Amino acid sequence: GVLDAYHSCLKKIELCEPTNFAPIIHYVSKVAKQNLTGDKYFILLIVTDGIIADMTVTKEAIVDASLLPISIIIVGVGSADFSSMTELDGDMEQLNVNGRYAA
């Protein structure tokens, strides 16, 4: 289903810059906040061909979303340098921004 949705969307959208993740993370967080009964879980799959232009705001959005029933998966496609995105996964160091840490 995810691949079908991806292929369908590719026909309807135009990829462009800048690459801003925070707006979609905020949107999914808003929906998740309205569904805190425990019967729904949200998976946000971001497929990107560009480097994040709003890294600090994206980190803030992820920290805010970390207490909500959301998983965020970011997939980089193409030849861009996606190495800065490894900071977002929290594998080496817990994601933090402005003294706030992801749950």
Side-chain angles (χ1 to χ4, degrees):
V2 172
L3 286 175
D4 290 338
Y6 173 73
H7 289 296
S8 175
C9 286
L10 279 179
K11 298 172 189 172
K12 300 173 187 171
I13 63 170
E14 180 179 335
L15 301 175
C16 61
E17 294 182 10
T19 302
N20 295 315
F21 290 178
I24 190 64
I25 296 170
H26 286 304
Y27 177 80
V28 174
S29 293
K30 182 179 175 182
V31 173
K33 285 178 188 174
Q34 297 170 355
N35 293 280
L36 293 176
T37 59
D39 62 335
K40 293 184 181 172
Y41 190 85
F42 301 86
I43 299 173
L44 172 58
L45 173 62
I46 300 173
V47 180
T48 181
D49 67 343
I51 299 169
I52 301 173
D54 64 343
M55 182 62 102
T56 300
V57 182
T58 293
K59 288 169 37 176
E60 291 171 350
I62 292 171
V63 168
D64 291 343
S66 68
L67 292 171
L68 297 171
I70 301 172
S71 288
I72 301 170
I73 303 167
I74 302 171
V75 178
V77 295
S79 59
D81 179 8
F82 299 110
S83 60
S84 66
M85 291 186 198
T86 59
E87 179 182 358
L88 301 177
D89 64 24
D91 286 348
M92 299 302 212
E93 184 178 328
Q94 188 176 6
L95 179 65
N96 69 82
V97 62
N98 300 325
R100 296 176 45 233
Y101 288 82

PDB file of all heavy atoms in Angstrom, residues 2 6 32 37 88 96:
ATOM      1  N   VAL A   2       1.938   1.241   0.761  1.00  0.00           N
ATOM      2  CA  VAL A   2       2.820   2.417   0.843  1.00  0.00           C
ATOM      3  C   VAL A   2       3.456   2.682  -0.514  1.00  0.00           C
ATOM      4  O   VAL A   2       3.506   3.824  -0.978  1.00  0.00           O
ATOM      5  CB  VAL A   2       3.902   2.231   1.934  1.00  0.00           C
ATOM      6  CG1 VAL A   2       4.931   3.340   1.884  1.00  0.00           C
ATOM      7  CG2 VAL A   2       3.260   2.174   3.311  1.00  0.00           C
ATOM      8  N   TYR A   6       3.036   5.951  -2.875  1.00  0.00           N
ATOM      9  CA  TYR A   6       4.224   6.678  -3.322  1.00  0.00           C
ATOM     10  C   TYR A   6       4.199   6.881  -4.839  1.00  0.00           C
ATOM     11  O   TYR A   6       4.375   7.984  -5.334  1.00  0.00           O
ATOM     12  CB  TYR A   6       5.488   5.931  -2.891  1.00  0.00           C
ATOM     13  CG  TYR A   6       6.769   6.502  -3.447  1.00  0.00           C
ATOM     14  CD1 TYR A   6       7.287   7.691  -2.964  1.00  0.00           C
ATOM     15  CD2 TYR A   6       7.459   5.837  -4.461  1.00  0.00           C
ATOM     16  CE1 TYR A   6       8.464   8.212  -3.471  1.00  0.00           C
ATOM     17  CE2 TYR A   6       8.635   6.357  -4.972  1.00  0.00           C
ATOM     18  CZ  TYR A   6       9.140   7.540  -4.470  1.00  0.00           C
ATOM     19  OH  TYR A   6      10.307   8.053  -4.975  1.00  0.00           O
ATOM     20  N   ALA A  32      -2.117  13.346  15.539  1.00  0.00           N
ATOM     21  CA  ALA A  32      -1.872  12.367  16.601  1.00  0.00           C
ATOM     22  C   ALA A  32      -2.383  12.867  17.954  1.00  0.00           C
ATOM     23  O   ALA A  32      -2.909  12.084  18.753  1.00  0.00           O
ATOM     24  CB  ALA A  32      -0.382  12.045  16.682  1.00  0.00           C
ATOM     25  N   THR A  37      -6.242   8.066  22.340  1.00  0.00           N
ATOM     26  CA  THR A  37      -6.974   7.023  23.061  1.00  0.00           C
ATOM     27  C   THR A  37      -6.230   5.691  23.089  1.00  0.00           C
ATOM     28  O   THR A  37      -6.635   4.783  23.805  1.00  0.00           O
ATOM     29  CB  THR A  37      -8.357   6.809  22.422  1.00  0.00           C
ATOM     30  OG1 THR A  37      -8.188   6.437  21.056  1.00  0.00           O
ATOM     31  CG2 THR A  37      -9.199   8.066  22.533  1.00  0.00           C
ATOM     32  N   LEU A  88      19.318  12.844  13.415  1.00  0.00           N
ATOM     33  CA  LEU A  88      17.908  12.757  13.769  1.00  0.00           C
ATOM     34  C   LEU A  88      17.507  11.401  14.328  1.00  0.00           C
ATOM     35  O   LEU A  88      16.513  11.298  15.043  1.00  0.00           O
ATOM     36  CB  LEU A  88      17.035  13.088  12.547  1.00  0.00           C
ATOM     37  CG  LEU A  88      17.252  14.462  11.927  1.00  0.00           C
ATOM     38  CD1 LEU A  88      16.377  14.622  10.690  1.00  0.00           C
ATOM     39  CD2 LEU A  88      16.971  15.567  12.926  1.00  0.00           C
ATOM     40  N   ASN A  96      18.523  16.150  20.685  1.00  0.00           N
ATOM     41  CA  ASN A  96      18.184  17.262  21.563  1.00  0.00           C
ATOM     42  C   ASN A  96      18.316  18.560  20.797  1.00  0.00           C
ATOM     43  O   ASN A  96      19.050  18.664  19.810  1.00  0.00           O
ATOM     44  CB  ASN A  96      19.060  17.263  22.803  1.00  0.00           C
ATOM     45  CG  ASN A  96      20.502  17.613  22.506  1.00  0.00           C
ATOM     46  OD1 ASN A  96      20.849  18.792  22.399  1.00  0.00           O
ATOM     47  ND2 ASN A  96      21.343  16.603  22.331  1.00  0.00           N
TER      48      ASN A  96
END
